[in-house]
Amino acid sequence: MLVLDATQTRAALPWDGLVKALGDMFAKGCVMPVRHHHDVEVPGEADATLLLMPAWQPGAYIGVKMVSVFPGNQMRGLPAIHGSYLLSSGKTGEMLAIVDGGELTARRTAAASALAARYLAREDASRMLMAGTGRLSANVIEAHASVRPIRNVTIWGRDPKKAEATARELSLKDISVAVATDLETAAREADVISCATLSSEPLIRGDWLKPGAHLDLIGAFKPSMRESDDRAAQLSSIFVDTREGALSEGGDIVQPIRSGVITRDAIRADLFELTRGTHPGRTKPDEITLFKSVGAALEDLAGAVLAFETYRTKA
């Protein structure tokens, strides 16, 4: 049985290959039961979250990811997300690999946003704002830079020191990186705005979005959480990774629907429809697009299979 640590998992999932693997999996589809989502009490702190995400390709592969999200870890200097992915044969049930779940989650999440950006961000998008300084941030920036001609990146965080640390992590050729002290100013200038936070209140205002902007919302994975306001939902053409997930878990979609600001029909398409060509994605240069992801077991399966097959080929 293959066991891949974080470093090996990262090496097995280059952005170009991973974005393609996700696109192929969305286009072809797989069996993806509803994931288990459990709140876990942590005395004296915010609740943690336990996620169990199964998926399989009949006769090929079956996998399940176990992930925990502990918001309080930020105060301890630890990653908020921990997990492992178990990949088995879809023919015999034989265990094939254990893949580092944290690295797989970070990279497949970023790759899903980059896949969406291929359809939704302007082809000439060059200025990116990254709101958030957690584990995902560097991955999201790198992934977007692999699909769009990003030349200027600004990083914003509630703690400027963490934003500066994230900026130092990046080593992207021909891309300038700066730290934003004013979120509104940075948002108004950006072609692509990505948010990967645990915010429960809107960070990005719709009135800040310039014509042609693309808003990529990755955090706020519970209905009670949110990274954008009602105005952003009203102004944008809305797209999601999966309709079922966004309509049940994505606070940036659930809340404006509940309040009557938008309807369910405001969702133009999901990644299944975009990758299969049943919706073109962006249709006008000045169109404001919004992509909301909450994650899907399909994405984990695609990444785990790619990592396993990459190492199997090397062997």
Side-chain angles (χ1 to χ4, degrees):
M1 182 178 64
L2 182 67
V3 178
L4 301 181
D5 63 19
T7 299
Q8 292 168 318
T9 300
R10 187 182 311 117
L13 300 175
W15 295 120
D16 56 349
L18 183 55
V19 172
K20 181 181 185 302
L22 262 64
D24 290 344
M25 187 69 81
F26 270 104
K28 296 175 182 177
C30 70
V31 180
M32 188 168 56
V34 175
R35 68 182 176 183
H36 296 255
H37 187 293
H38 303 280
D39 291 330
V40 179
E41 292 184 4
V42 182
E45 298 180 15
D47 285 354
T49 304
L50 176 64
L51 301 172
L52 303 175
M53 304 170 68
W56 58 86
Q57 295 171 300
Y61 295 101
I62 180 172
V64 61
K65 187 176 72 172
M66 303 188 337
V67 172
S68 63
V69 183
F70 280 74
N73 279 357
Q74 292 184 346
M75 297 181 291
R76 303 181 183 94
L78 296 173
I81 300 173
H82 292 280
S84 297
Y85 196 90
L86 310 180
L87 183 69
S88 303
S89 167
K91 291 183 179 179
T92 67
E94 175 190 7
M95 184 69 71
L96 301 175
I98 299 177
V99 182
D100 182 84
E103 193 64 29
L104 174 63
T105 300
R107 293 186 78 81
R108 66 81 157 154
T109 301
S113 284
L115 175 63
R118 278 187 166 174
Y119 298 95
L120 304 178
R122 286 173 55 115
E123 292 187 3
D124 61 354
S126 62
R127 301 183 67 89
M128 179 177 181
L129 166 63
M130 181 72 239
T133 58
R135 181 175 189 172
L136 273 174
S137 302
N139 287 285
V140 171
I141 293 168
E142 292 172 1
H144 276 86
S146 75
V147 299
R148 284 296 181 263
I150 304 297
R151 291 293 175 264
N152 297 279
V153 172
T154 304
I155 302 171
W156 177 88
R158 298 184 191 278
D159 184 344
K161 291 182 178 179
K162 290 183 178 180
E164 292 168 2
T166 300
R168 288 194 296 270
E169 285 182 38
L170 296 169
S171 57
L172 298 172
K173 186 178 180 181
D174 299 326
I175 297 179
S176 66
V177 181
V179 172
T181 55
D182 182 73
L183 182 58
E184 178 179 350
T185 298
R188 288 183 180 277
E189 296 174 349
D191 301 314
V192 175
I193 302 171
S194 285
C195 297
T197 73
L198 297 175
S199 178
S200 59
E201 299 293 335
L203 296 172
I204 303 299
R205 308 290 172 178
D207 289 336
W208 299 351
L209 303 175
K210 69 180 185 180
H214 173 56
L215 180 57
D216 171 43
L217 302 174
I218 302 169
F221 57 88
K222 294 182 179 180
S224 60
M225 303 168 74
R226 201 161 184 189
E227 294 180 312
S228 64
D229 67 356
D230 286 347
R231 184 64 173 157
Q234 289 176 315
L235 291 174
S236 302
S237 296
I238 299 174
F239 299 84
V240 299
D241 55 353
T242 67
R243 289 177 184 270
E244 183 177 17
L247 288 169
S248 61
E249 298 179 34
D252 290 285
I253 305 299
V254 172
Q255 291 187 37
I257 289 178
R258 284 179 178 172
S259 63
V261 172
I262 61 172
T263 67
R264 296 166 67 100
D265 293 337
I267 297 177
R268 303 290 181 88
D270 58 21
L271 282 178
F272 292 105
E273 294 162 296
L274 290 173
T275 56
R276 295 170 185 177
T278 58
H279 192 288
R282 172 179 291 273
T283 57
K284 297 180 294 184
D286 62 349
E287 183 179 9
I288 296 173
T289 54
L290 183 157
F291 175 67
K292 175 58 190 168
S293 65
V294 295
L298 174 154
E299 299 165 11
D300 297 302
L301 181 61
V305 169
L306 175 61
F308 171 71
E309 293 185 346
T310 295
Y311 273 90
R312 183 177 63 178
T313 299
K314 290 181 179 179

